Amino acid sequence: MNPFSELGVSRPNLIFRATGLACFLLFLAVLVPTLSPPVARILHPLTIDTDPENMLPEDEAVRVFHNEMKEQFGLYDFIVVGVVNETRATGVFTPGSLADIHALSEFAFDQTWTDAEGNPRGVVRVDVIAPSAVDNIEQAGSGAVSFEWLMEEPPTTQAEAAAVAEKAKRIPLYDDTLVSGDGRSMALYLPIHEKRDSYRVAQALRGKIDRFNNGDDYHITGLTIAQDQFGVEMFIQMAISAPLAMLLIFGLMWFFFRNVKLIVAPMIVAMASVLITMGLLIVTGNTIHIMASMIPVFIMPIAVLDAVHVLSEFHDRYHRLRDRYETIRQVMVALWRPMLFTSLTTSVGFASLALADIPPVQVFGIFVAVGVMLAWLLTMMLVPAYVMSMSPESLRGLGRTESKTTALPKLGMAAYRNAKLIALVTVALYGAAWVGINQIRINDNPVKWFQPDHPIRVADRTLNAAFGGTYMAYIALQAEGAETQITAQDLARLDEDVAATLQSEGSLEEMRTLAETQRDDAADDAAYMAWDEALITLDEVGQRGQIFKDPALLNWMADLQAHLGDSDLVGKSNGLNEIVKTVHRELMLGEEAQYRIPDSAEGVAQTLITFQSSHRPNDLWHFVTPDYRSSSIWLQLTSGDNRDMQSVVDRVNGWVAANPPPVALSHDWFGLTYINVVWQQKMVTGMLTAFASSFVVVLVMLTVLYRSLLWAALSMIPLTMSIGVMYGLLGFVGKDYDMPIAVLSSLSLGLAVDYAIHFMARSREIVGRTGSWKEAIPVVFGEPARAIFRNVIVVGVGFTPLIFAPLTPYQTVGVFISMILLISGVASLVILPALVTLCQNWLFKNKISNSVEGETA
C-alpha cells in the first residue's frame, strides 16, 4: 500500500484535523481581507472580474491599441437604455413618456461617485446621449446655424412631443441611434468610467424606472451590462447548482452502495478539494474570472470519480473479507497506481492550458490541475482514514447484492463475440464525427450567456430590432508616415535668424511652442512680427497635414459607411462626415440637397468651426483628433456574435482593398465587440495547441505505464471517441463552439482516459492470472467494470442539474460532462474489449504474469 494510504489508515484523526485546518485557514485568509480593507493591503481579497477584455494579456497589441484609441478619442463603454411602446401609434413620443425619459436622464446624470483612490466612477455625464443632453442643429438664416437643446424640458403638448422626434430624425447622428428608425422609440446611451460600474448603475436605473406608470417598456442592455450581470448571477448559480449536483450524486451513490455513512467520504473529498483549490487561487492574488468560476464544476466530478472507484471496489470486496484494514489495503494496492496515472493525465490535460495565450485560461488550467492532484491525494488519505473510522456494524451487509449482477459480464462477452462488428461501427462513428466536426461554427457572444427569456436577452432582441444596433465597434483611420515637415521654401519666407532657430528644433509642434514663447517674450515690435509671421507659416504647414479636412477623404469615408450600411449586420454608422454634412446643410438654409461634403478644405473647416459653437463642442474630438490626422468611425452592429463582427471586418478589408483611400491611410479596429473576436481566436488556437501537446504527453505517460505503445494507443480510444462524437454532434446540431466548449476538451481528456486506464490496467493484471483474455472477461466485467459503470452513472447523471441552470455556459458544461462520461464509458466497456479481442495476440503474447499494480505492491 502506498505511504499516503498507510498514513490514512494508521493516523485517521491526524488526516481529519489537517484537512479541516487547511480548509478553515484558507477560508479565513479569503474572508478576512475581503471584509476588512486594512487587511486587504496585506492579503489578497476576493476579487471578481467578468471583463472579457482581460482574456487578453495587458500587453497584447490589440488591447493596447484599443485602450490607446479610447483615450485618444475620449471614448467610454456604454450602457444602453431603450424605451419602447408598441401599444401607441406615437410610441414613446407623448408628453407623459418624454417626461419620464427626461426624469430618467436627469437621474442618470447623478449616478456618479469616486472610489477610495479618488478616481471618478459611474456615468460620464458630459458624454451622455439623451434628448436633454444633445443639440438640435438648425439653420438660423444664411450662413448661420442654431444649436439648441433637443429637449431641454419635457414637452407639454402632443405637438411638442412629436416635434422632438421630427427634429431628432432630421439629424443623422441621432436618427436610428437616439430615435428609432420608425420614430416611435428612444434610446439613451450612458457612458461609464469603468465597465464594472455597469451593474450598480443599472440597478439604480431599474429602481427609478419602477416608479414610472406610462405603460412604456424599458430595456437595459449592452456588453458591459451582460458581463457585469453575469458576474453577479454566476455566484447565485454556483450557490444553487453545485449543491444540487452534489445532492444528486449523494443520492445516486446511496442507490449503489446503500450505506449513508460510507458515501459521505467522496463528498468530503470533493468539498475539501474545491475549498482548498479556490482558497489557494484567491490568496495567491488571482481574480475570480468567468473561467475561474467554473473550477469547482470541473474539480467535483474528478474528485468524486476517484473516490467512487475506491468505494466501489471496497463495497464489492468487504463482504468476503469482513476486515476493514485488509479490504482497504487490497483496494488501494490495486487502484493507487491507476488512479495516480489517471490524475496525472488529467492534470497534464488541464495544465497544458497554460500554453494558451489567455491569462484567465492559464489560471483556470493551472488551478484545476492543482485541484485534481489534491483530490487524488485526499482520496489516497481521507477515504482510507474515513473507512477505518467506521465501525464494523456500520458496514454490515455491504456488497452482497451487487456481486450477483450478471449484466456487465454478458456485455463483456457480447463485445468479445461481436468484436469485428463493433470495430466497423467504431470506424463509421469516427467518419460521421469527422463530417460533423467540419461543420462546427466558432462563435461566442456574452449576451447569449443568458437564457432567451432573460431581461438582457429580451432587451437585446427588442432594441436591435428597433435601432441601428447596441453593439459598438470602431474603425480607427490614421494618416501614414510622419507629420508634415516644414520645407526650405517655407523657411525662406522667414527672418534668417528665426529660420535658423526653428531648424534647431525637431517636430512641427516643438517649433510652434518655441515660436509662441519667442513671440511673447519679444523685446521689440520687429522681433514680435518676425515670430508672429513664423507662427502663421507653421500653422499653414500644419494645415497641409490635416488630412481629415480633405473633401476627397471625407467622401471616401462616406462611401465606406454606405457600403457598410448595405450589410444586414451594420444598422448604423457615424463619423466625422455626418457632422460636416449636417452643419453644411444648415449653413445653406437647411436645403436637403446641401447635405454633402463641401468642395474645399476651407469649407470643411468652416463647418467644424461652426460645430464648435454648440453646447457640446468636444463631441467633435470623439470622431477626429485635434491635429486632424486620425479619425474614428462608429459602427452600431445588430449582433454581438463574433462571427458577425468578423464578417464586418472582412467586408471593410475587402472594400478598402478595392477602393484605396485618396491619401496614405491605415485602418484598424477597436471596441469590445472586436476584442471579443480576438480573444476567441486566440482561445481556439490556444486550446488546439494545448490539447495536441497534452495528447502527446498523455500518450507518452501511458506508454511508460504499460511499457507498450500498443497498449497506450488503445487506451486513447475512449478519449478520441468522446472528443470526436462530442464535437461531431456540435457540428450537426449547429451549436456554436464557444468558451465552455473549448475548455471541455481538457476535461474529456481527463475523464475519458481515466476509464480506459482502469479498464486496461485491470485487464492486463487479470489476464496475467487467468492465462487468456476470454477467461479474463467475466472477471474484468465484475468489480472493475462495475466501478466504471457506477462512475458513469453517479458523476454523469449527478451533474445534470446544471442543464437547468439559467446561465448557458453552465448548461453547456452540464450537458457535455454527461456526454463525455457516457461516451467514454461506452467506449471503455464496449469498444475497448472489442479491440482488445482483435489485438489479443499482440497484447498478451508474453502471457503477463504480474499486473501493473502487482509490480508496485
Side-chain angles (χ1 to χ4, degrees), residues 53-54 56-61 63-64 67 359:
E53 185 179 333
N54 291 329
L56 297 172
E58 289 186 2
D59 59 352
E60 180 70 31
R63 185 175 177 183
V64 171
N67 290 322

Side-chain angles (χ1 to χ4, degrees), residues 36 105 155 180 225 229 248 311 351 391 405 462 483 544 581 614 625 855:
S36 174
S105 301
S180 62
I225 287 290
Q229 184 77 25
L248 184 54
L311 288 193
S391 65
T405 303
T462 303
E483 65 177 352
R544 294 202 295 262
K581 290 191 286 187
S614 70
T625 52
E855 295 170 9

Side-chain angles (χ1 to χ4, degrees), residues 27-324:
F27 178 74
L28 284 182
V30 171
L31 182 65
V32 174
T34 302
L35 299 179
S36 174
V39 179
R41 298 188 184 100
I42 304 171
L43 299 175
H44 296 287
L46 172 65
T47 306
I48 302 169
D49 176 19
T50 56
D51 185 359
E53 185 179 333
N54 291 329
M55 296 293 277
L56 297 172
E58 289 186 2
D59 59 352
E60 180 70 31
V62 68
R63 185 175 177 183
V64 171
F65 182 77
H66 167 80
N67 290 322
E68 286 177 349
M69 292 300 100
K70 284 179 66 178
E71 183 176 1
Q72 187 175 80
F73 292 107
L75 300 177
Y76 299 89
D77 297 305
F78 286 102
I79 294 174
V80 183
V81 182
V83 192
V84 178
N85 191 312
E86 299 291 347
T87 62
R88 292 193 296 254
T90 55
V92 301
F93 288 94
T94 65
S97 294
L98 290 181
D100 287 346
I101 292 171
H102 185 274
L104 184 64
S105 301
E106 295 298 310
F107 179 78
F109 291 151
D110 295 332
Q111 300 311 300
T112 60
W113 65 93
T114 55
D115 59 22
E117 289 75 33
N119 300 312
R121 299 285 296 277
V123 174
V124 184
R125 178 169 183 160
V126 296
D127 286 334
V128 168
I129 299 176
S132 60
V134 298
D135 276 327
N136 175 39
I137 307 174
E138 290 183 324
Q139 60 88 21
S142 180
V145 176
S146 168
F147 296 94
E148 297 180 353
W149 294 115
L150 178 63
M151 192 181 78
E152 187 171 8
E153 295 294 337
T156 57
T157 66
Q158 183 56 47
E160 291 176 349
V164 172
E166 292 170 5
K167 292 175 181 177
K169 290 282 293 175
R170 193 168 180 274
I171 301 172
L173 286 170
Y174 308 150
D175 185 23
D176 228 7
T177 298
L178 182 65
V179 177
S180 62
D182 61 7
R184 300 175 60 202
S185 304
M186 182 170 281
L188 312 181
Y189 298 81
L190 310 179
I192 50 177
H193 286 284
E194 300 280 351
K195 291 192 282 290
R196 55 195 169 126
D197 298 340
S198 61
Y199 182 78
R200 175 173 170 176
V201 172
Q203 287 295 90
L205 294 173
R206 291 184 182 108
K208 181 68 173 178
I209 290 167
D210 288 342
R211 303 175 195 171
F212 299 150
N213 56 7
N214 275 294
D216 303 317
D217 295 324
Y218 286 78
H219 301 281
I220 302 178
T221 190
L223 281 177
T224 57
I225 287 290
Q227 293 157 13
D228 221 13
Q229 184 77 25
F230 186 89
V232 173
E233 293 194 14
M234 73 181 181
F235 277 97
I236 300 172
Q237 170 65 56
M238 290 308 301
I240 297 172
S241 295
L244 279 177
M246 295 306 291
L247 184 62
L248 184 54
I249 287 173
F250 187 86
L252 289 166
M253 285 194 294
W254 179 85
F255 174 78
F256 283 120
F257 303 127
R258 303 299 174 94
N259 189 303
V260 173
K261 290 184 178 180
L262 184 65
I263 61 178
V264 168
M267 314 305 289
I268 295 174
V269 169
M271 288 188 289
S273 300
V274 169
L275 284 173
I276 295 174
T277 302
M278 294 304 290
L280 289 172
L281 182 144
I282 295 167
V283 299
T284 52
N286 292 288
T287 59
I288 304 295
H289 199 272
I290 300 165
M291 297 293 302
S293 74
M294 293 186 178
I295 288 177
V297 179
F298 281 73
I299 290 177
M300 281 192 291
I302 296 169
V304 170
L305 188 143
D306 271 351
V308 169
H309 272 299
V310 174
L311 288 193
S312 183
E313 293 274 353
F314 182 86
H315 179 267
D316 289 349
R317 295 187 187 209
Y318 181 76
H319 74 281
R320 295 195 302 269
L321 299 174
R322 313 304 298 171
D323 182 279
R324 289 171 300 166

Side-chain angles (χ1 to χ4, degrees), residues 407-419 422 777 781 830 833-834:
L408 288 174
K410 288 180 179 178
L411 176 65
M413 291 309 299
Y416 178 83
R417 296 191 188 99
N418 299 283
I422 292 172
I777 287 176
F781 278 81
V830 177

